[in-house]
């Protein structure tokens, strides 16, 4: 019964595939487009000079992100396995399986704190609908309650995790695909409505200048590092999410254009998120320097009540904005949960339902300290000797370092261990073509690994308080 034949019809043995190329693109774009785009991107861009950051970010996506995206899809479709199984299949009896295992672990940890933040967005949808964000509302106190009191923080984290698990139990085609086909168009429509509102606010132009007129004197090595790190997180790279989603792609479909669509969508949506945030902030005379949860959950919400048409503008656009965040988070958390679930299903022959519940429960428990790290428990809110709260600490280790290391190892593996030649054969499996194949080989062999090594050196140096590049 443990064959992989779709004809046996046995629950355990059948490996799902996407219903179509479009279905894959929507699901993978759903994974990529998340809190990292709508909340993270404008925050990081705001802290790093706006337009200058945008330029560097686009270069990082094109020359490092896109080739790694294709690499992950190739590994996934070739092996039709989760990251652990994929490395086992391509490099049997070697230490490379550790890269897959690191990916599975990273996915669970990211899911744990991602769900906490996603829980806040659910709470905020509710608050926005019920008209909490009226003129003069103390948005700082509201955030302090949602994120800082144990009960709502853990409660909404639980609600979000249960929704995520429910989707993943449905499987690839009847769960993830079915939901993303509805949620992604909804996300796009909401985004367009919000952009239209934001760019027509009085005084929006100053925000647009900040965003689109680069001032390259703001560039330094830290801006470049921030851009590359942001690109990996935003594109869901470096932990095998795209290996896993790629493992459900049919041999009939073409990988290069799929990778291009996903990368392109993710980038366009991040840019559009900036078109909501910057005009809104500048039109209220605020600077986008405020980082972290503050910018969206405190500063932006305090502006909601002023959005015309008053007095219901804030209710409408506030609800839409937090719904947008919640949807984006959900289509990403599905992929985070799917990686470790696929590992249990493929490698341990655990039935899907049990696998998704087990990993979801684990990530929920692991998320509790993160849920308590925004004020509920003092030492978790400022880890002694680290200077970060527990959630930010996990984000730094797993959302940044682990993804960068993972992406480096994946590119070294495909470029120098398994080889660009067999990789190219996998790309050509459908119609014998590999558009931009030589460019990809060059980027994945030299540009991506060297750039990533450079960031790692700088990151480690910063850890020790050294500054290598000035
Ligand atoms: N890409 C998602 C975001 O932008 C986060 C994510 C990272 C999802 C890694 C899966 C894997 O929010």
């Amino acid at each position: 019964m443990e064959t992989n034949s779709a004809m046996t019809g046995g629950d355990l043995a059948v490996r799902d595939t996407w219903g179509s190329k479009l279905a894959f693109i929507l699901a993978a774009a759903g994974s990529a487009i998340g809190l990292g785009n709508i909340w993270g991107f404008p925050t990081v861009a705001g802290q790093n000079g706006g337009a200058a950051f945008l330029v560097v970010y686009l270069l990082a996506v094109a020359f490092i992100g896109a080739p790694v995206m294709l690499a992950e899809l190739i590994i996934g479709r070739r092996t039709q396995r989760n990251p652990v199984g994929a490395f086992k299949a391509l490099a049997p009896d070697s230490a490379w399986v550790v890269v897959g295992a690191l990916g599975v672990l990273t996915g669970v940890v990211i899911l744990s704190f991602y769900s906490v933040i996603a829980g806040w967005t659910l709470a905020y949808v509710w608050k926005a609908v019920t008209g909490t964000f009226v003129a003069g509302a103390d948005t700082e106190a509201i955030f302090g309650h949602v994120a800082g009191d144990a009960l709502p923080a853990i409660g909404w984290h639980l609600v979000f995790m249960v929704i995520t698990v429910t989707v993943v139990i449905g499987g690839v085609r009847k769960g993830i695909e079915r939901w993303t086909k509805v949620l992604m168009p909804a996300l796009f429509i909401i985004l367009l409505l919000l952009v239209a509102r934001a760019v027509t606010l009085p005084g929006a132009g100053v925000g647009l200048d900040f965003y689109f007129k680069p001032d390259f004197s703001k560039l330094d090595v830290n801006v470049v590092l921030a851009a590359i790190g942001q690109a990996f997180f935003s594109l869901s790279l470096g932990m095998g999410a795209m290996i896993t989603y790629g493992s459900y792609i049919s041999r009939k479909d073409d990988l290069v254009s799929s990778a291009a669509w996903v990368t392109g969508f993710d980038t366009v949506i991040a840019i559009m998120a900036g078109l909501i945030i910057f005009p809104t902030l500048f039109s209220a005379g605020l600077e986008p320097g405020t980082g972290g949860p503050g910018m969206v959950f405190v500063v932006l919400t305090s502006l909601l009540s002023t959005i015309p048409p008053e007095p219901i503008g804030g209710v409408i656009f506030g609800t839409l904005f937090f719904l947008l965040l919640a949807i984006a988070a959900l289509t990403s958390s599905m992929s985070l949960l799917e990686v470790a679930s696929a590992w249990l299903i493929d490698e341990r022959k655990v039935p899907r339902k049990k696998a998704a519940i087990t990993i979801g429960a684990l990530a929920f428990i692991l998320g509790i300290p993160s849920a308590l790290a925004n004020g509920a428990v003092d030492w978790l809110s400022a880890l002694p000797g680290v200077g970060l709260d527990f959630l930010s600490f996990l984000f730094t280790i797993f959302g940044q370092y682990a993804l960068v290391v993972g992406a480096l190892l994946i590119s070294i593996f495909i470029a120098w261990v398994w080889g660009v030649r067999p990789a190219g054969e996998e790309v050509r499996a459908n119609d014998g073509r590999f558009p931009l194949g030589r460019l990809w080989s060059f980027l994945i062999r030299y540009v991506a690994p060297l750039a990533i090594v450079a960031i790692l050196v700088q990151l480690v140096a910063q850890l020790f308080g050294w500054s290598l590049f000035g």
Side-chain angles (χ1 to χ4, degrees):
M1 264 324 275
E2 287 186 2
T3 55
N4 235 15
S5 161
M7 288 180 300
T8 58
D11 254 343
L12 207 84
V14 180
R15 211 162 185 283
D16 237 340
T17 53
W18 305 111
S20 63
K21 180 174 160 190
L22 177 68
F24 162 75
I25 292 174
L26 286 180
S31 166
I33 298 162
L35 298 170
N37 301 58
I38 296 170
W39 172 28
F41 180 82
T43 307
V44 184
Q47 289 163 341
N48 287 284
F53 176 85
L54 181 59
V55 173
V56 181
Y57 180 77
L58 291 177
L59 293 173
V61 166
F63 293 109
I64 306 173
V68 175
M69 170 75 70
L70 182 59
E72 288 205 23
L73 297 186
I74 292 172
I75 293 174
R77 191 177 67 176
R78 172 56 164 239
T79 58
Q80 305 194 1
R81 282 289 173 278
N82 65 91
V84 169
F87 280 98
K88 267 195 205 156
L90 294 178
D93 302 317
S94 76
W96 284 99
V97 64
V98 173
V99 181
L102 177 73
V104 170
L105 173 74
T106 303
V108 177
V109 178
I110 295 181
L111 177 61
S112 77
F113 64 78
Y114 204 83
S115 167
V116 171
I117 303 169
W120 303 344
T121 69
L122 289 181
Y124 270 65
V125 172
W126 176 245
K127 292 201 177 293
V129 179
T130 52
T132 309
F133 303 117
V134 291
D138 185 349
T139 54
E140 196 119 19
I142 295 171
F143 184 66
H145 168 65
V146 170
D149 288 353
L151 199 63
I154 294 177
W156 288 106
H157 164 48
L158 178 64
V159 172
F160 185 82
M161 192 66 83
V162 169
I163 301 175
T164 305
V165 170
T166 309
V167 176
V168 170
I169 285 177
V172 174
R173 204 178 290 197
K174 297 215 176 84
I176 298 172
E177 174 174 326
R178 201 197 263 171
W179 282 67
T180 44
K181 270 190 171 159
V182 178
L183 292 177
M184 293 311 286
L187 176 136
F188 198 66
I189 293 170
I190 297 177
L191 200 65
L192 284 177
L193 287 171
L194 288 168
V195 170
R197 174 63 286 188
V199 298
T200 51
L201 286 171
V206 193
L208 294 177
D209 279 352
F210 172 78
Y211 198 28
F212 289 125
K213 288 207 182 129
D215 169 2
F216 286 110
S217 68
K218 300 217 171 108
L219 270 192
D220 62 24
V221 68
N222 288 314
V223 175
V224 178
L225 299 185
I228 298 177
Q230 173 66 25
F232 284 133
F233 186 81
S234 185
L235 292 167
S236 303
L237 296 176
M239 53 148 279
M242 291 300 163
I243 294 180
T244 309
Y245 271 22
S247 75
Y248 306 121
I249 301 180
S250 142
R251 284 250 150 75
K252 293 196 301 286
D253 293 330
D254 141 55
L255 294 180
V256 177
S257 67
S258 300
W261 276 109
V262 176
T263 308
F265 265 140
D266 185 70
T267 308
V268 167
I269 302 284
I271 294 173
M272 288 173 73
L275 284 177
I276 301 174
I277 309 269
F278 294 124
T280 309
L281 289 181
F282 277 93
S283 113
L286 293 168
E287 287 283 316
T290 32
M295 189 166 90
V296 160
F297 290 99
V298 178
V299 181
L300 206 72
T301 42
S302 76
L303 307 178
L304 288 176
S305 63
T306 63
I307 294 181
E310 282 179 69
I312 49 147
V315 175
I316 297 172
F317 293 105
T319 306
L320 287 176
F321 180 73
F322 288 107
L323 199 60
L324 173 74
L325 274 174
I327 292 174
L330 178 60
T331 56
S332 297
S333 65
M334 295 172 189
S335 70
L336 289 163
L337 178 58
E338 177 62 23
V339 174
S341 302
W343 164 66
L344 281 182
I345 296 166
D346 293 344
E347 307 300 308
R348 306 269 149 166
K349 308 294 173 229
V350 177
R352 173 169 282 275
K353 185 171 177 185
K354 193 170 162 199
I357 294 177
T358 309
I359 303 292
L362 195 72
F364 169 70
I365 294 168
L366 199 63
I368 292 177
S370 291
L372 300 176
N374 269 273
V377 172
D378 283 344
W379 68 272
L380 287 170
S381 308
L383 289 178
V386 182
L388 288 174
D389 65 89
F390 187 75
L391 194 161
S392 308
F393 177 70
L394 285 188
F395 174 74
T396 309
I397 303 293
F398 290 92
Q400 299 187 307
Y401 290 58
L403 296 186
V404 172
V405 172
L408 173 66
L409 294 173
I410 288 169
S411 35
I412 292 177
F413 177 79
I414 201 163
W416 301 102
V417 180
W418 185 44
V420 289
R421 197 177 280 260
E425 279 160 22
E426 181 57 35
V427 173
R428 289 191 196 89
N430 54 324
D431 63 358
R433 285 168 18 90
F434 187 172
L436 303 178
R438 301 184 84 146
L439 175 64
W440 176 76
S441 301
F442 175 69
L443 294 175
I444 203 75
R445 292 170 93 170
Y446 304 104
V447 178
L450 287 177
I452 301 172
V453 167
I455 332 176
L456 278 176
V457 171
Q458 171 74 8
L459 281 177
V460 172
Q462 275 175 354
L463 210 59
F464 291 99
W466 307 326
S467 177
L468 295 184
F469 302 97

